[in-house]
Amino acid sequence: ATEDKIAKLEAEIADIQADAQELQAQQDKLNTEIAELDVQISDLTSRIAKRNEALEEQARNVQVSGQETSVLNAILEAESFSDAISRIQSVNTMVQANNDMMKQQEKDKEDVVSKQDATKAKSEEVMQAQVELEQKLVPLSASQLELDVLKADLELQKATEQGNIEQ
């Protein structure tokens, strides 16, 4: 009977330890994913800042030089029809580049928010896994203590029986 209890407790302890290892592996994986997201967020934030600097620099240059990049100015300041076409294409290219830059800026900002949300969710998962792990470890300690007591009792019984046999 005692040996059956010991076997049962050892099986329970092994199950709890396996669950604990699984939860620890899950935590490690989530922490790795969080670190990767943090790197991606940092990269995106850096690109956003550099793009902001480029846009601000471009705006300052336009203000300082007093040049307007409008199609109307390009046509009025042209020296010939082909010069007007060339200027219009240049203005369109600059406007398109700025539009592309602004679209990428918005996309990167959305990506930062999305990755921050993912990081928060993964952090919450880590905390939940930690709570589960701690909840599993409490019965593990109790089961381990009970197992130690049962093993000691069994050893005592065996020693007593062997002492009686020798007499």
Side-chain angles (χ1 to χ4, degrees), residues 56-76:
E56 288 171 5
E57 181 67 25
Q58 187 179 42
R60 265 193 302 276
N61 287 341
V62 167
Q63 271 187 332
V64 168
S65 67
Q67 295 176 335
E68 290 187 32
T69 54
S70 71
V71 175
L72 183 60
N73 281 347
I75 292 172
L76 293 176

Side-chain angles (χ1 to χ4, degrees), residues 23 26-27 29-30 33-34 118-132:
L23 286 170
Q26 179 186 1
Q27 276 186 310
K29 180 180 179 246
L30 289 170
E33 290 173 6
I34 288 170
T119 299
K120 182 180 177 184
K122 288 190 185 300
S123 293
E124 289 171 2
E125 284 182 55
V126 167
M127 289 187 332
Q128 183 61 36
Q130 183 64 35
V131 168
E132 286 179 42

Side-chain angles (χ1 to χ4, degrees), residues 95-113:
V95 168
Q96 184 61 44
N98 284 343
N99 286 342
D100 291 347
M101 192 181 299
M102 292 305 296
K103 285 178 187 172
Q104 187 62 46
Q105 190 78 333
E106 289 305 312
K107 182 186 176 304
D108 285 353
K109 286 179 181 179
E110 290 169 5
D111 286 349
V112 165
V113 169

Side-chain angles (χ1 to χ4, degrees), residues 6-22 136 139-140 143-144 147:
I6 289 174
K8 182 180 174 194
L9 280 173
E10 285 177 338
E12 281 180 28
I13 290 170
D15 287 346
I16 291 171
Q17 287 173 331
D19 288 347
Q21 287 175 345
E22 187 177 312
K136 298 245 182 211
L140 176 64
S143 295
Q144 187 66 50
L147 177 63

